[in-house]
Amino acid sequence: MLPVSLTVAAVVLFNTGAGIASAADGIRVLGPQGVNLWQLEHGAPKSKVVFQDYQTQDGFRNEEFPVNWFEQPLDHFDDGITDTFQQRYWVNTRHYKPGTGGPVIVLDGGETSGENRLPFLDTGIVEILARATGGLGVVLEHRYYGESIAVKNLTTDSLRFLNNDQAAADSANFMSNIKFSGIDEDLTAPGTPWIYYGGSYAGARAAHMKILYPDLVFGAISSSGVTHATIVYWEYFDLIRQVAESKCSRHIQKSIATVDRLLSNRRLARPLKALFGLADLEHNDDFASILETPLGYWQAKCWDPAFGSTGFDDFCESLSKPPFGLGLVEGTAGFEYEHPTRMVSLPGGLTVDFAVLNYAKWIKENVVSSCPEDSTIEECFGTYDDSKYTNTSLDQEWRLWMFQVCTQWGYFMTAPPDPTYPSIVSQYITLAYESKLCKQAYPPGDFFKVPAMPNVTAVNVLGDFDIAADRLAIIDGEVDPWRPATPHSDYAKDREDTIVRPFKLIPDAVHHYDEWGYKNLADEPEEIRQIHGEMILFVLEWLKDWTPPKKG
């Protein structure tokens, strides 16, 4: 959900009970290694690596919101292709009253199953805005995701209809033609005001819908909307480096610098990998990518403890504790990294700060332990065997968002381009490494070929950092690692925050924090209660300006 909202969505939950923000974001953050973790979970049910949606409580089911279906063309732009598919959606009618002119609040499902968005229909932003406006709430599942399956397999050719234009046309067609079950009133756009909401990738889509279909979308709210697509996105990890607790950030940064130094020494590289339980992992970049795993936990933070994760903070705490049984002197943790009292001598000629030892212990317990006993380390965590990525059956859901990454969105997360710049990820994490999956997983088809690099212009032409329109709200999180790809990026121009063009930054917030909500807003944290109040206010003000279009 990035597109994180980009993240989304399933979260990689290890045995510590914490995780990466979404299946799509896990792949987005870890690249090829994220696919390995996805495959480990789906191929090994007893693994400690478990993918579960952190945006839905375990077993969330609400019979109040039955499934509905809407027929869509597979291709909106080629009349010669007559195939169709059923798009899934859910409706909240709690606050709808016929004839009152209330809006339709539609939430874009983005890059995950629409079922994962149902909490937002129940207590989150859709319910909040529908209750405030007397409107109808809708969650609309994105083509190819969940059960809105448009094709029989996920080959390169079959995936060619998974793009921005087709998905936007789906939403426009739905808004223009939907007939809601049990409702006699015509609520189609433009005869009814529609407010389009999305978070992360779906947040960018919300902004794009306002630009592409202004006659249908009366208002739009882009939360953590990644309206700037980019091939290299090193800023994701750098923002985490800047805003994480300073001691932890320094420990990660210095540990990674130690890893890079030791990997460059042929004699010490294998003992280093062995320390992490990865002695038999052939390629240094594969090894380095596994060390990124705990960093994805930052995006899994949420103000609502029922949905969030403390995984990043737990990881930080584990780095700072002197290991037992090594004879380290009292007060060792208070010394600077690589102070002589912190150093530990290990087999193979290694001498490292105890933070590296703790990092290794965490990786062994939370990642390496997921490799089944009948598999080799290379089979589990190597990414250079192309055959691992050739299964194109519909259950290979990782292929969906990765295809969008490879064709239009990018966001290959690498080390900073300047090797002297401070970094919490290894210099072995390069564009070549992160993007190689595009060639491995998507060979040329008969009708479509994945470009050498994503066509990010297809996204950025719609406004990029400067995307703006009346009744388009931009809402972002101050410490969201996706903020550098939003209009609140440090690269973007500052804007005035107005009712007609809201431009809001939630203090200390990570990814689309406004999307969650409590039934009683008074119980929410102050900054969340404030943003929800401001959202209610500007939507109500928008609706005062709505007039039905003249017929004929």
Side-chain angles (χ1 to χ4, degrees):
M1 243 211 33
L2 93 180
V4 187
S5 150
L6 319 161
T7 149
V8 77
V11 64
V12 182
L13 285 180
F14 300 98
N15 60 347
T16 55
I20 291 171
S22 72
D25 284 318
I27 293 168
R28 190 181 292 148
V29 173
L30 300 177
Q33 203 59 252
V35 177
N36 279 346
L37 294 178
W38 188 97
Q39 291 179 334
L40 278 173
E41 189 277 322
H42 287 77
K46 295 181 180 180
S47 166
K48 290 184 179 180
V49 181
V50 180
F51 281 75
Q52 175 181 319
D53 194 310
Y54 85 99
Q55 295 184 31
T56 63
Q57 292 171 313
D58 187 33
F60 178 88
R61 294 290 183 273
N62 194 322
E63 299 303 325
E64 183 181 357
F65 309 132
V67 173
N68 296 276
W69 301 92
F70 179 81
E71 187 173 67
Q72 293 280 13
L74 177 61
D75 191 326
H76 289 271
F77 310 108
D78 185 347
D79 292 338
I81 298 177
T82 59
D83 302 72
T84 62
F85 72 97
Q86 295 294 318
Q87 186 174 26
R88 201 164 50 154
Y89 68 98
W90 298 260
V91 181
N92 176 343
T93 60
R94 290 172 184 166
H95 311 288
Y96 165 72
K97 294 180 180 178
T100 60
V104 176
I105 312 294
V106 60
L107 183 143
D108 189 302
E111 74 285 27
T112 187
S113 167
E115 292 179 355
N116 296 336
R117 308 308 193 193
L118 293 184
F120 306 137
L121 195 64
D122 183 35
T123 63
I125 193 60
V126 179
E127 163 68 10
I128 291 168
L129 294 179
R131 183 172 61 213
T133 61
L136 188 81
V138 177
V139 166
L140 182 63
E141 189 168 67
H142 194 294
R143 62 165 50 207
Y144 282 79
Y145 291 93
E147 294 185 14
S148 297
I149 309 297
V151 290
K152 295 180 180 179
N153 56 52
L154 301 181
T155 63
T156 303
D157 277 343
S158 293
L159 287 167
R160 72 188 187 276
F161 304 104
L162 177 56
N163 60 52
N164 300 339
D165 289 342
Q166 297 285 0
D170 284 342
S171 296
N173 188 38
F174 180 85
M175 296 169 67
S176 300
N177 296 289
I178 186 62
K179 176 70 175 71
F180 293 109
S181 177
I183 295 177
D184 294 331
E185 187 176 14
D186 182 359
L187 296 180
T188 57
T192 298
W194 282 63
I195 307 296
Y196 202 106
Y197 179 96
S200 191
Y201 159 67
R205 281 182 35 77
H208 293 165
M209 287 298 297
K210 182 60 180 166
I211 300 302
L212 292 169
Y213 298 98
D215 293 338
L216 299 178
V217 179
F218 180 72
I221 303 173
S222 175
S223 177
S224 295
V226 286
T227 57
H228 172 72
T230 180
I231 292 174
V232 173
Y233 189 50
W234 63 272
E235 293 89 347
Y236 181 97
F237 293 117
D238 191 55
L239 189 139
I240 296 173
R241 179 190 65 82
Q242 294 180 50
V243 301
E245 191 274 325
S246 58
K247 184 178 181 180
C248 177
S249 182
R250 287 196 307 273
H251 281 166
I252 299 173
Q253 179 184 328
K254 291 180 180 297
S255 295
I256 292 300
T258 297
V259 165
D260 279 357
R261 174 172 52 82
L262 295 175
L263 284 177
S264 67
N265 185 314
R266 289 187 178 183
R267 181 177 65 85
L268 297 177
R270 184 174 177 84
L272 174 69
K273 292 178 182 180
L275 179 64
F276 285 78
L278 296 164
D280 295 326
L281 193 57
E282 180 180 353
H283 294 89
N284 288 345
D285 42 17
D286 283 339
F287 173 74
S289 69
I290 294 177
L291 273 56
E292 295 177 288
T293 306
L295 306 182
Y297 287 60
W298 182 270
Q299 190 178 322
K301 289 173 176 280
C302 180
W303 62 266
D304 185 348
F307 298 105
S309 163
T310 61
F312 188 89
D313 297 333
D314 296 340
F315 170 68
C316 285
E317 184 179 358
S318 72
L319 286 185
S320 65
K321 292 181 177 179
F324 291 109
L326 295 179
L328 297 177
V329 301
E330 185 177 353
T332 298
F335 291 105
E336 285 297 313
Y337 185 90
E338 290 192 339
H339 186 280
T341 59
R342 293 176 57 100
M343 303 302 286
V344 180
S345 295
L346 301 167
L350 286 181
T351 300
V352 298
D353 185 278
F354 75 72
V356 176
L357 200 63
N358 288 336
Y359 207 138
K361 182 175 183 290
W362 189 96
I363 292 293
K364 284 192 293 187
E365 292 179 351
N366 296 287
V367 184
V368 179
S369 60
S370 66
C371 186
E373 293 182 359
D374 59 352
S375 298
T376 67
I377 288 295
E378 185 68 25
E379 288 170 342
C380 288
F381 303 113
T383 66
Y384 283 83
D385 179 0
D386 294 355
S387 66
K388 295 175 68 171
Y389 310 113
T390 56
N391 186 346
T392 60
S393 60
L394 291 177
D395 61 358
Q396 299 298 298
E397 297 170 0
W398 65 268
R399 296 182 63 84
L400 299 174
W401 176 250
M402 198 66 213
F403 181 81
Q404 294 187 259
V405 165
C406 293
T407 53
Q408 295 185 312
W409 289 88
Y411 302 124
F412 297 115
M413 296 180 182
T414 69
D418 181 355
T420 66
Y421 189 84
S423 176
I424 58 174
V425 295
S426 169
Q427 289 296 319
Y428 285 88
I429 305 303
T430 65
L431 174 60
Y433 176 76
E434 289 294 302
S435 64
K436 69 186 182 67
L437 187 61
C438 296
K439 293 182 179 179
Q440 292 174 293
Y442 309 107
D446 293 330
F447 303 100
F448 187 83
K449 180 180 180 180
V450 171
M453 282 292 161
N455 178 21
V456 296
T457 301
V459 176
N460 296 334
V461 72
L462 296 175
D464 207 321
F465 289 128
D466 298 324
I467 195 167
D470 288 351
R471 298 186 303 278
L472 169 56
I474 304 294
I475 300 175
D476 295 307
E478 181 183 25
V479 295
D480 182 0
W482 288 104
R483 181 170 63 81
T486 76
H488 274 102
S489 170
D490 292 344
Y491 299 135
K493 299 174 184 176
D494 197 13
R495 308 187 194 183
E496 184 181 1
D497 175 26
T498 67
I499 289 291
V500 72
R501 294 189 176 193
F503 190 68
K504 301 180 182 296
L505 190 66
I506 308 173
D508 298 318
V510 188
H511 210 43
H512 48 81
Y513 263 28
D514 59 294
E515 199 160 4
W516 289 273
Y518 286 159
K519 287 185 181 293
N520 184 357
L521 300 189
D523 294 335
E524 296 175 346
E526 181 180 355
E527 67 276 8
I528 303 302
R529 187 168 65 251
Q530 178 175 335
I531 192 63
H532 284 158
E534 292 174 355
M535 295 171 76
I536 290 170
L537 175 62
F538 68 65
V539 169
L540 288 174
E541 289 298 312
W542 289 354
L543 291 172
K544 290 179 181 178
D545 294 334
W546 185 79
T547 55
K550 295 180 180 179
K551 296 182 178 181

